[in-house]
Amino acid sequence: MAQTVIDWPVDPVNRHMASRCWEAELRLGFVTRGDKTVLKDRTHKGPLAVQRSLYPEGGVCHTHLLHPPGGVVGGDSLDVTVGLANGAQALITTPGATRFYRSDGRVGSLKQTLTVDQHARLEWLPLENIAFPNARVFTRTHISLTAQSQFIGWDVWTLGQPATQTSFENGEIDGLTTVSVDERLILCERLRVTPEQSRFPAAGLRSLPVCGTLIAHGDAEILAALLKQWWGEHKQQGITRAELSQVAEIELGITQIDGVLIVRVLGQKTDALFQIFALCWQQIRQHWTGEMPDIPRIWRT
């Protein structure tokens, strides 16, 4: 399947210092075998790996991505490629947050290429990204789907260190996510965070330190109506239910375009925003399968 190609920014300092940085690659290929999905192809280079596949809910293959260094520094580059063959079903998550540390001027980069064949379903559910003050980050995520495939995935960012009231200053995030369906570009989602944005809060993140985007494909129009009704009911209740007890100053928007659902959220607390996305995922999965899934156990450890 043809991929949407967008040029990566090149940092000459990174090129000069490449020998002193991590360059990691991971490629995963999932196929159906009997009544379950298996991880048939797995290759890696550098500090990226996966744990043994788990099957807590039958035939869906649960996979945990591992990055042993525990964080990304300036000059590091991570490249993850995931492919699901016809009919495969996989849920991919991480055991911890991805931390982008303070940079000495070099750029840390993350590239993710996700391809989902017809009648396959990929649930891409990583824990949050944390951008420490003065980090420099470039991310590119390319998602290729078919009209008959299902996908849900999200990107959650914590900027600075809200717990200590340390804001994200003098750093930069340049993120881009594209979604193509049957080789037609449907969505191009851009995230740019720079110090200058603090002067124009309405055009940025409204001075809130946590943001996230959830993308889903598969009955997007129905899912949009479902989530709007669900969110409205909780808003009317004053958000008093136990699973939403940490929600504070959440701003949420739900839209759909050409069969792709987009949920955008801003907030003060990472845990609260992640809870919102986890509940959205449960609602979406229940619509797709008729069963309410349990929260992945790794998130509770």
Side-chain angles (χ1 to χ4, degrees), residues 107-108 131-132 134-138 168-174 192-195:
V107 176
F132 282 70
N134 300 317
R136 295 187 65 199
V137 184
F138 284 95
F168 185 75
E169 296 179 351
N170 301 319
E172 180 180 2
I173 299 175
D174 184 345
R192 290 297 306 272
V193 181
T194 63

Side-chain angles (χ1 to χ4, degrees), residues 234 237 239-247 275 279:
H234 286 297
Q237 295 171 10
I239 314 186
T240 58
R241 290 185 54 179
E243 71 263 19
L244 296 177
S245 61
Q246 299 185 58
V247 174
Q275 281 184 326
L279 291 167

Side-chain angles (χ1 to χ4, degrees), residues 33-277:
R33 182 172 294 169
D35 59 351
K36 68 179 183 179
T37 294
V38 298
L39 178 55
K40 179 182 177 182
D41 301 313
R42 174 175 56 186
T43 60
H44 75 96
K45 167 189 173 184
L48 273 177
V50 294
Q51 292 179 327
R52 179 174 59 88
S53 298
L54 302 173
Y55 294 90
E57 51 175 340
V60 180
C61 184
H62 285 227
T63 302
H64 301 158
L65 299 185
L66 304 178
H67 182 232
V72 179
V73 301
D76 287 356
S77 66
L78 307 182
D79 188 341
V80 179
T81 300
V82 176
L84 270 67
N86 190 332
Q89 298 180 357
L91 185 153
I92 300 177
T93 187
T94 58
T98 300
R99 293 170 171 81
F100 293 90
Y101 291 115
R102 181 188 303 271
S103 172
D104 59 3
R106 293 174 289 167
V107 176
S109 65
L110 171 63
K111 183 179 180 182
Q112 301 170 139
T113 304
L114 313 176
T115 303
V116 188
D117 205 346
Q118 59 185 353
H119 309 300
R121 182 177 74 233
L122 173 60
E123 296 164 277
W124 179 259
L125 313 177
L127 295 184
E128 72 274 11
N129 301 308
I130 302 175
F132 282 70
N134 300 317
R136 295 187 65 199
V137 184
F138 284 95
T139 71
R140 294 293 182 267
T141 300
H142 304 308
I143 305 165
S144 297
L145 311 172
T146 75
Q148 291 78 36
S149 57
Q150 294 177 332
F151 173 84
I152 179 171
W154 59 50
D155 201 21
V156 176
W157 285 92
T158 299
L159 307 179
Q161 295 172 281
T164 60
Q165 298 184 337
T166 304
S167 59
F168 185 75
E169 296 179 351
N170 301 319
E172 180 180 2
I173 299 175
D174 184 345
L176 180 68
T177 298
T178 64
V179 179
S180 298
V181 178
D182 289 335
E183 302 185 21
R184 174 174 171 248
L185 181 63
I186 301 297
L187 178 68
C188 187
E189 186 84 1
R190 195 72 186 268
L191 174 68
R192 290 297 306 272
V193 181
T194 63
E196 291 77 14
Q197 287 183 329
S198 62
R199 295 179 294 167
F200 308 101
L205 303 175
R206 302 188 183 278
S207 301
L208 293 170
V210 182
C211 65
T213 302
L214 180 153
I215 296 171
H217 177 265
D219 292 338
E221 186 172 349
I222 296 174
L223 293 178
L226 176 69
L227 294 184
K228 286 178 181 178
Q229 179 181 358
W230 168 80
W231 179 248
E233 290 174 352
H234 286 297
K235 294 283 284 186
Q236 291 174 5
Q237 295 171 10
I239 314 186
T240 58
R241 290 185 54 179
E243 71 263 19
L244 296 177
S245 61
Q246 299 185 58
V247 174
E249 297 187 34
I250 286 288
E251 298 184 23
L252 182 146
I254 300 171
T255 58
Q256 70 92 17
I257 177 172
D258 291 345
V260 175
L261 169 75
I262 308 104
V263 181
R264 300 181 180 89
V265 183
L266 296 173
Q268 289 282 2
K269 297 182 179 181
T270 304
D271 289 348
L273 191 151
F274 198 85
Q275 281 184 326
I276 293 293
F277 276 0

